[in-house]
Amino acid sequence: MASTIPHYMLRVKYILLVKHFEGRASKDEEQEIELWRNENIINNLTYLRLKRVWEESSKRELLVNKSQKEEKMWKNIIDKIISEEEPVQTGSK
């Protein structure tokens, strides 16, 4: 008979894993995660899957942030060029 983990316990584990992936978990929490991973193959596979998803999400966020920074930088450059242009004078002398 397979034991089932109450839903609230999974939520606690996921909150703990988020702290771990963010690098905010204490030594005790890191040990708890390691013990949980070693309990069975399902826990370890769950950890590896969540770690991969976390890393992929982090990479996407970095790319979006980089793109937004580059866009802002180009806007600042264009604004500076436009503000430094001398007005074109038309008409006869």
Side-chain angles (χ1 to χ4, degrees):
M1 176 182 209
S3 64
T4 58
I5 299 173
H7 186 67
Y8 71 90
M9 288 300 291
L10 284 176
R11 184 172 165 203
V12 170
K13 286 290 182 212
Y14 290 146
I15 290 169
L16 184 57
L17 287 170
V18 168
K19 284 180 70 175
H20 165 76
F21 294 139
E22 290 178 339
R24 300 183 303 113
S26 69
K27 280 187 175 184
D28 288 342
E29 290 169 329
E30 291 291 342
Q31 288 177 336
E32 184 179 341
I33 290 170
E34 202 57 35
L35 288 171
W36 174 77
R37 285 182 67 189
N38 292 325
E39 278 179 8
N40 59 58
I41 190 73
I42 299 298
N43 290 355
N44 192 48
L45 290 173
T46 300
Y47 172 86
L48 294 173
R49 181 177 51 96
L50 291 172
K51 181 179 178 188
R52 181 177 44 87
V53 169
W54 183 271
E55 289 171 349
E56 289 173 0
S57 296
S58 296
K59 287 177 189 174
R60 274 194 297 275
E61 187 175 318
L62 287 174
L63 289 174
V64 167
N65 287 340
K66 182 179 177 186
S67 176
Q68 289 172 344
K69 286 179 184 177
E70 287 176 353
E71 186 177 325
K72 185 176 181 182
M73 181 184 70
W74 280 112
K75 183 184 179 320
N76 289 340
I77 290 170
I78 291 168
D79 289 347
K80 179 116 173 114
I81 291 169
I82 290 171
S83 71
E84 290 178 355
E85 284 184 355
E86 293 181 3
V88 176
Q89 304 223 349
T90 56
S92 57
K93 292 183 178 183

